[in-house]
Amino acid sequence: MVKRIVGAVVTLWCAGASVSCQSRDLEVVEIPVDLSPGPAIEDRADWEPVPLAACKLKPGMEQLPACGTLESFDLSGCDTESLRGLDRSGGYNLRFHGADIATDDTAQYIGVDHFAPLALGRRGALPLTRGADDHLLYSVYRETRPNRPALVMATVGCSAQAQDHVKGCAVTCLEGQAPVVDTWEGRRVQWLPGEAESSGGLKLLGEAGGHSGRAVDVFVAKEHAYVVSIDDFFLGSGALQVYDVKDRRAPRLVRTVQFPDDSYWNGVWAKGDALYVASAARGVLVFDITDPANPLFLRDLSAGVHTNVHTLFVDGDRLYSMAVGPNQEVHIHDVKNPREPVRLGHYRDSTVGVVRGSYPHDATSLNHRLFVSHWRGGLVILDAKDPENVKRLGAYVYPRATSHASRAGYFNDNLIAFEGGEDWGAHLRVLNLNDPASPTLIGEYQLPGWASIHNMELKGSRLYLAHYQHGLRVLDVSRPREPRQLGHFHTVRESDPNRGLDFWDGAIGIRLPGDGYVYVVDTTRGLLIFPEI
């Protein structure tokens, strides 16, 4: 507990009609400021495993050709007329919930890709158009191929909860198998009520597009921004693209690097004259950037084994890479000589193969403490001082966890971590890690749950979030248990081409290299540059 002076009261004594006055006393007003981590609060999870709509499949309609027709759905519990009030001017993010996971806390809801119901995935956006057979929201996809079972996928609207909130059902029917029935809800992607494009001084200084693939991450070194992207049906093949950012108001694309059969590049980092790229095919790719505008490929660190590295980062002389395949482990390399990494060790968490969906997605470190976002395994806390003998200190796991990214720092001598999931309802969790064996939740920051956080950067008491369709968000975390928004910038515009392709749309990558600027990657717009605030 400390005290903060917030003002002073001066009493003035004045005589007669004159304005001559004297100061007779001075009172200093102090308000206690509690900088302790605060008590633990209840973790409410990101979503509840309950059916989302009142529709279902009628008995006797489980097999083709009836399965998937409009008549196969029981809509007796629905208010289909309410669908007339939907705002149909933009895209909707969806979450799907399968009836078979109602009691399974380790399973994630099922979602749907953008062109529902053309392809099933986990999340997506729904084009709200008038359906067939005079139903306001019904669509069906049928597929018949030689020597393959017939396939039908259909979605149907059940009710509109509001102008921008809709619920319904879906079914996937595969010849000879039991149908998969889901309920779903969709929320319209839009700026939050009352928000302008930006606030808090977050003004766009410079922007550069022209990238190939879906841009996902950025690192800035030697006055160049290195942007990596992944394959995208609409946006092209993944690549490493180099932007000259000497003039932050006019960044220029100067080089594009692409390899055949190796174009899912999801992370990037630099140290000295070396650039490291996370490859889904060959692990870590090492480039020479002695000439920063012309990266020269040197080698990969796969040792001849197909290795899927999803993210990576450098801390001091250590390179950490998160290999989601084949063994779901963290690899540790020595990079004292940046262009010649030397393997030091690896770590495979005890939850791998035990907790479904536990794998190292991303990580950060502080004083040899390694904080690994282990998806379903939660935020895992490790002692990595000895890379050949990494020790597990503890973990913070919440129901249906999707621990995706984190940053950590000391605040008033307390070790605090900021954790972000990637799911419907996922948000920022503030964790007290003073006892790593027993982490506690002490604070939260949450925007409407149809868009999650992707990446974050911590600088002093400022936390910068790449928050997908919620854009760039900047928080004051000087009192960690009470994050306070200082500013925002909406990177998503409905006029942008190729918007609404899926849940992972908008502000996705972020970097603060210490030059006074914030570099953000938007999946469609590419590189955006802002001043720090």
Side-chain angles (χ1 to χ4, degrees), residues 167-179:
K167 294 186 177 183
C169 283
V171 63
T172 302
C173 314
L174 189 65
E175 186 179 12
Q177 297 185 16

Side-chain angles (χ1 to χ4, degrees), residues 288-501:
D288 185 331
I289 55 170
T290 302
D291 177 357
N294 294 287
L296 175 65
F297 178 67
L298 298 177
R299 67 186 61 82
D300 67 64
L301 304 183
S302 66
V305 178
H306 179 90
T307 306
N308 181 352
V309 166
H310 196 62
T311 57
L312 47 73
F313 75 99
V314 174
D315 184 12
D317 290 329
R318 296 271 184 90
L319 166 65
Y320 299 91
S321 55
M322 274 42 71
V324 299
N327 298 317
Q328 298 84 50
E329 58 189 17
V330 180
H331 296 164
I332 307 172
H333 286 80
D334 181 283
V335 287
K336 290 187 182 70
N337 182 347
R339 288 175 291 184
E340 298 284 348
V342 177
R343 178 79 171 261
L344 296 177
H346 70 279
Y347 173 81
R348 190 170 192 260
D349 196 65
S350 58
T351 58
V352 173
V354 177
V355 176
R356 183 170 60 177
S358 178
Y359 66 91
H361 181 277
D362 206 342
T364 188
S365 66
L366 183 67
N367 299 334
H368 295 297
R369 291 278 178 92
L370 190 61
F371 308 91
V372 183
S373 297
H374 227 275
W375 204 249
R376 290 292 186 199
L379 183 65
V380 177
I381 307 154
L382 306 173
D383 179 348
K385 187 173 184 178
D386 180 358
E388 295 181 349
N389 185 30
V390 178
K391 298 177 181 178
R392 193 181 206 266
L393 303 178
Y396 183 81
V397 186
Y398 47 95
R400 298 172 295 282
T402 54
S403 190
H404 179 272
S406 70
R407 288 294 182 266
Y410 282 96
F411 292 80
N412 198 36
D413 297 325
N414 297 293
L415 180 57
I416 302 296
F418 302 93
E419 188 270 352
E422 188 186 39
D423 207 338
W424 188 280
H427 57 283
L428 182 73
R429 287 172 165 85
V430 184
L431 307 175
N432 176 4
L433 303 185
N434 284 338
D435 179 2
S438 185
T440 58
L441 177 68
I442 59 171
E444 294 176 294
Y445 168 82
Q446 187 165 16
L447 296 177
W450 46 260
S452 81
I453 297 168
H454 187 261
N455 278 339
M456 62 182 75
E457 288 289 345
L458 177 64
K459 183 175 182 181
S461 63
R462 299 287 190 266
L463 186 68
Y464 292 75
L465 306 176
H467 210 308
Y468 281 127
Q469 293 104 332
H470 289 317
L472 169 62
R473 303 277 162 164
V474 185
L475 308 181
D476 178 353
V477 292
S478 55
R479 301 183 67 185
R481 66 175 182 265
E482 298 175 357
R484 181 173 61 89
Q485 182 170 301
L486 297 177
H488 80 278
F489 187 93
H490 282 292
T491 67
V492 172
R493 303 167 300 194
E494 291 190 348
S495 60
D496 295 332
N498 299 310
R499 284 297 183 195
L501 297 180

Side-chain angles (χ1 to χ4, degrees), residues 13-295:
W13 291 86
C14 305
S18 72
V19 294
S20 175
C21 304
Q22 284 186 312
S23 172
R24 299 295 296 271
D25 57 52
L26 177 69
E27 179 182 358
V28 176
V29 179
E30 295 181 335
I31 297 178
V33 177
D34 186 358
L35 296 179
S36 66
I41 61 176
E42 179 185 1
D43 198 315
R44 298 164 294 174
D46 293 336
W47 54 273
E48 292 299 323
V50 296
L52 299 169
C55 46
K56 55 188 177 181
L57 200 65
K58 291 178 181 177
M61 294 285 195
E62 294 87 357
Q63 300 301 320
L64 296 174
C67 184
T69 63
L70 180 60
E71 292 75 22
S72 68
F73 289 97
D74 179 356
L75 304 178
S76 59
C78 297
D79 178 11
T80 56
E81 281 300 305
S82 64
L83 298 173
R84 297 184 185 278
L86 278 174
D87 179 354
R88 298 167 183 266
S89 61
Y92 280 66
N93 275 355
L94 268 68
R95 69 163 172 148
F96 271 49
H97 178 271
D100 60 330
I101 66 171
T103 59
D104 186 356
D105 278 357
T106 68
Q108 190 170 4
Y109 62 83
I110 303 169
V112 53
D113 215 340
H114 173 61
F115 292 103
L118 296 183
L120 290 178
R122 277 191 308 184
R123 317 172 178 88
L126 174 70
L128 287 176
T129 57
R130 188 179 183 86
D133 301 324
D134 289 329
H135 189 277
L136 291 169
L137 192 62
Y138 168 72
S139 58
V140 61
Y141 169 75
R142 295 182 174 89
E143 180 180 283
T144 303
R145 295 185 183 182
N147 303 318
R148 292 189 180 184
L151 171 68
V152 172
M153 294 184 288
T155 56
V156 62
C158 180
S159 63
Q161 309 303 113
Q163 189 182 24
D164 57 359
H165 185 194
V166 60
K167 294 186 177 183
C169 283
V171 63
T172 302
C173 314
L174 189 65
E175 186 179 12
Q177 297 185 16
V180 177
V181 182
D182 309 299
T183 58
W184 54 266
E185 71 170 323
R187 297 274 188 166
R188 191 185 187 286
V189 175
Q190 57 191 321
W191 294 359
L192 301 184
E195 285 193 339
E197 181 182 46
S198 67
S199 68
L202 274 176
K203 299 298 183 182
L204 181 62
L205 293 180
E207 177 174 358
H211 61 283
S212 176
R214 177 183 295 252
V216 290
D217 197 20
V218 59
F219 197 87
V220 181
K222 299 185 172 186
E223 295 190 298
H224 286 75
Y226 300 91
V227 175
V228 291
S229 58
I230 61 178
D231 293 330
D232 186 276
F233 180 81
F234 295 95
L235 301 173
S237 297
L240 163 65
Q241 296 190 272
V242 184
Y243 295 86
D244 184 321
V245 294
K246 296 183 184 71
D247 182 354
R248 270 72 177 185
R249 297 182 181 275
R252 295 184 300 110
L253 177 63
V254 294
R255 180 78 188 280
T256 296
V257 179
Q258 290 178 301
F259 293 160
D261 303 319
D262 182 10
S263 53
Y264 192 103
W265 295 349
N266 193 68
V268 61
W269 206 280
K271 176 179 170 64
D273 289 331
L275 185 76
Y276 310 110
V277 172
S279 162
R282 292 190 284 168
V284 177
L285 308 179
V286 183
F287 292 84
D288 185 331
I289 55 170
T290 302
D291 177 357
N294 294 287

